[in-house]
Amino acid sequence: MNMCLAKAHEWFGQLASGRSPSIAAIAKTQQVTSSYVTRVVKMAFLPPDAVQSIARGEHPPHLSARRMLRTVPLSIDWAQQRLLPGFHR
């Protein structure tokens, strides 16, 4: 899960800074689909407390990167994101 979040922030950073011109360019470099890159990058917008929970390993075992990627598109509302299984408190 941490690796997926790291990729999300790295790829978003590449796009935001202009180091990568597009999602397609990242996909080509990483040898994955543009759809995959899009789903991963959207994880860069999780609520900070959710990211911290994942980084500390305090997320439920069933909340895997694969499951999160299937959940995308995520709501832009952090309150709604916190309703995802495993993040509600």
Side-chain angles (χ1 to χ4, degrees):
M1 187 72 143
N2 286 337
M3 291 297 293
C4 195
L5 283 174
K7 277 186 203 176
H9 287 278
E10 172 59 28
W11 292 350
F12 175 70
Q14 288 177 17
L15 292 166
S17 70
R19 288 180 289 147
S20 288
S22 66
I23 286 175
I26 293 172
K28 183 176 180 179
T29 300
Q30 298 294 315
Q31 298 179 335
V32 296
T33 66
S34 292
S35 173
Y36 176 76
V37 173
T38 299
R39 287 179 285 143
V40 170
V41 167
K42 287 182 178 183
M43 289 182 63
F45 300 96
L46 289 172
D49 56 318
V51 172
Q52 290 172 355
S53 175
I54 292 167
R56 290 189 303 260
E58 296 173 354
H59 62 288
H62 69 275
L63 190 62
S64 65
R66 180 177 290 187
R67 185 171 188 173
M68 289 294 297
L69 291 176
R70 285 194 315 249
T71 303
V72 176
L74 295 169
S75 169
I76 60 170
D77 180 5
W78 282 351
Q80 288 295 316
Q81 289 181 18
R82 288 184 184 101
L83 296 176
L84 292 171
F87 282 121
H88 57 282
R89 295 180 186 234

